[in-house]
Amino acid sequence: MKAETNLDLLIQDSNLSAELKNIAEKVRSNQRISFDEGIILYENAELGYLGVLANFIREKRHGDITYFNRNFHIEPTNLCIYDCKFCSYSVLIKEKSQGWEYTMEEMLEIVKKYDGQPVTEVHLVGGVLPQYDLKFYSELFTAIHQHRPELHVKALTPVEYHYIFKKAKIDYATGMKLMKEAGLNSIPGGGAEIFAPEIREIIAKDKCTGEQWLQIHEEWHKLGMRSNATMLYGHIEEFKHRVDHLDQLRTLQDRTGGFQTFIPLKFRNQDNQMSHIPEVSVIEDLRNYAISRIYLDNFDHIKAYWAMISRSTAQLSLNFGVDDIDGTLDDTTKIYSMAGAEEQHPAMSTQELVELIKQIGRHPVERDTMYTTITDYNDYQFPEVEKPKYYQLPVIN
């Protein structure tokens, strides 16, 4: 195992500081690192060091396997009652002319567009509006399953659920139980941003707190269901806020085991109220992926959204702890592109995604939402596309 050899060589490096050597030895022996050691990694660890540790963990868990799925997005509206400073996607209700609001029938028509196609998941998330209430989403989830029972519904964040349940005057436990009964299969990780109240108060003061975000996921986990988690990084937060965020996720995961995947989300500064804040570098992106992999020892998967960070950075991330690069997509999401992501029309075929993974020597596996293998593409041969016929023309001297 090359990753193991690289870690052993790193530990033997006489130039390595005692504290970084101790962290590396902990990773080697599968011991948990502390909060203070998380700070040390952010403040003192170079990219190469972090890559060796994170790749060791990644390959110990998954080998060369890199997961992806076939999904599509439904974004019900970009109008929102909340005013998050980092958001380039949603617009306030008073600016309604700039937005869209899908009816239930329009959303079901989007689902029907994929009839006969091998998609396994619909990812549904958007702005928060009063008309999208408990009754609306219960009926929508049920209708999707009635039309296509095998389609996995991954929908809404705690931001939406907090508002919906408060409006319905029910507690989180009751609300999540009703959502499960209506056909909700899992919860995406959005809306976490940064849990630290002093940061959240500035960038997203109106919506649910970090504590409420965690409570909703915990109630969902108590039902035996799974969810994802995210962290928005690279804006006004400090390293201590990132480690605190990771630590709170790790603590809840110790208690419930309900999280599947962690997705670091890079702050993008186009067309939002924080556009004056420069974006962090690709190096910092890779460092953050690696530290997340090292710190979250009880999370199975670390995901990079290729549509947000670019295809080339997604490839690099696969050597820094990432084992999942999300789905094929097909230009059904505007959340990333409106914030200034490199992919302005994010779409990739299965063959393109498989080739992207294989180009760096990784093993592509199509999964469903619960990480059950659908197709192993390691030795898969795609049918050749018929090449156009060319006719030799006479050469005129």
Side-chain angles (χ1 to χ4, degrees):
M1 182 179 174
K2 187 177 179 183
E4 189 172 344
T5 302
N6 289 342
L7 181 55
D8 288 340
L9 290 172
L10 179 69
I11 291 171
Q12 294 164 20
D13 185 352
S14 59
N15 295 316
L16 197 63
S17 71
E19 55 190 12
L20 288 178
K21 181 177 180 180
N22 184 55
I23 293 172
E25 287 175 338
K26 277 190 168 184
V27 169
R28 183 71 172 82
S29 58
N30 198 30
Q31 295 180 53
R32 172 166 287 185
I33 70 167
S34 68
F35 184 98
D36 289 342
E37 288 169 330
I39 297 292
I40 288 169
L41 291 181
Y42 272 115
E43 291 183 343
N44 301 327
E46 295 182 354
L47 181 62
Y49 168 93
L50 292 170
V52 170
L53 269 61
N55 194 53
F56 171 79
I57 297 168
R58 181 239 202 268
E59 293 197 7
K60 191 172 182 181
R61 285 174 174 267
H62 306 291
D64 283 328
I65 289 175
T66 297
Y67 295 98
F68 69 94
N69 69 337
R70 299 199 212 194
N71 59 0
F72 67 96
H73 286 225
I74 298 177
E75 294 167 3
T77 182
N78 71 330
L79 301 176
C80 193
I81 63 170
Y82 297 128
D83 183 27
C84 298
K85 305 308 179 188
F86 58 83
C87 186
S88 309
Y89 172 80
S90 294
V91 297
L92 294 171
I93 295 174
K94 65 184 178 182
E95 300 166 333
K96 192 170 182 177
S97 62
Q98 301 174 29
W100 68 83
E101 302 171 65
Y102 290 147
T103 65
M104 189 179 303
E105 290 69 28
E106 287 171 328
M107 290 188 231
L108 289 172
E109 282 304 310
I110 294 173
V111 173
K112 291 174 184 177
K113 277 173 43 182
Y114 294 89
D115 287 355
Q117 297 186 37
V119 293
T120 58
E121 172 190 289
V122 53
H123 184 142
L124 197 152
V125 66
V128 177
L129 288 180
Q131 65 265 36
Y132 297 128
D133 57 11
L134 182 69
K135 182 175 183 291
F136 181 93
Y137 279 120
S138 295
E139 291 179 357
L140 176 62
F141 297 162
T142 299
I144 291 172
H145 276 297
Q146 286 175 343
H147 176 73
R148 190 166 179 177
E150 79 283 3
L151 187 65
H152 184 104
V153 177
K154 183 169 74 176
L156 311 185
T157 71
V159 177
E160 288 124 309
Y161 288 124
H162 170 76
Y163 176 82
I164 291 167
F165 300 156
K166 184 177 179 181
K167 188 169 185 286
K169 296 182 171 59
I170 58 176
D171 60 28
Y172 294 158
T174 302
M176 295 318 302
K177 185 173 183 291
L178 291 173
M179 292 291 95
K180 180 182 177 183
E181 291 171 352
L184 179 67
N185 298 118
S186 67
I187 302 178
E193 323 316 354
I194 286 286
F195 293 145
E198 64 270 28
I199 302 299
R200 205 174 185 87
E201 176 69 16
I202 296 170
I203 68 172
K205 67 178 295 183
D206 298 325
K207 63 187 184 186
C208 71
T209 65
E211 183 180 4
Q212 289 165 334
W213 188 98
L214 290 162
Q215 287 172 353
I216 289 173
H217 278 270
E218 182 163 9
E219 293 301 335
W220 184 243
H221 296 169
K222 286 178 182 177
L223 297 171
M225 307 302 283
R226 307 301 298 277
S227 64
N228 291 342
T230 62
M231 175 176 70
L232 183 70
Y233 70 94
H235 43 92
I236 65 170
E237 90 285 359
E238 299 174 24
F239 291 148
K240 66 180 181 181
H241 299 125
R242 294 191 202 176
V243 179
D244 172 70
H245 190 99
L246 295 173
D247 197 66
Q248 292 194 59
L249 289 174
R250 192 171 74 176
T251 298
L252 178 56
Q253 182 73 334
D254 279 343
R255 202 157 60 239
T256 68
F259 287 120
Q260 289 200 124
T261 307
F262 176 68
I263 309 110
L265 299 176
K266 179 176 184 170
F267 165 69
R268 309 307 300 248
N269 66 4
Q270 182 173 302
D271 295 331
N272 57 48
Q273 297 173 70
M274 294 169 66
S275 293
H276 59 286
I277 297 173
E279 295 178 2
V280 297
S281 67
V282 171
I283 290 174
E284 186 59 26
D285 295 333
L286 297 175
R287 291 181 77 249
N288 197 61
Y289 283 120
I291 294 171
S292 299
R293 177 64 284 175
I294 296 163
Y295 202 90
L296 294 175
D297 54 24
N298 52 7
F299 274 64
D300 287 335
H301 304 282
I302 305 293
K303 181 191 290 187
Y305 279 135
W306 64 264
M308 173 175 273
I309 61 172
S310 83
R311 302 179 191 209
S312 57
T313 304
Q315 285 180 309
L316 289 170
S317 75
L318 297 179
N319 292 318
F320 290 86
V322 170
D323 65 281
D324 187 329
I325 56 174
D326 197 46
T328 50
L329 298 175
D330 63 348
D331 202 12
T332 51
T333 179
K334 299 181 180 69
I335 290 176
Y336 314 132
S337 57
M338 291 173 73
E342 284 81 1
E343 296 277 345
Q344 285 298 293
H345 299 282
M348 213 185 319
S349 69
T350 301
Q351 185 167 356
E352 287 176 311
L353 202 46
V354 165
E355 289 173 354
L356 180 141
I357 293 167
K358 283 187 172 183
Q359 281 169 3
I360 59 163
R362 296 298 193 184
H363 177 158
V365 170
E366 181 189 347
R367 60 167 177 85
D368 65 13
T369 309
M370 309 311 290
Y371 286 86
T372 301
T373 296
I374 294 176
T375 305
D376 187 328
Y377 281 94
N378 204 41
D379 299 314
Y380 186 90
Q381 296 296 318
F382 287 92
E384 288 190 23
V385 178
E386 185 177 352
K387 296 180 181 178
K389 295 179 179 177
Y390 295 96
Y391 297 93
Q392 188 171 4
L393 297 176
V395 177
I396 301 175
N397 295 320

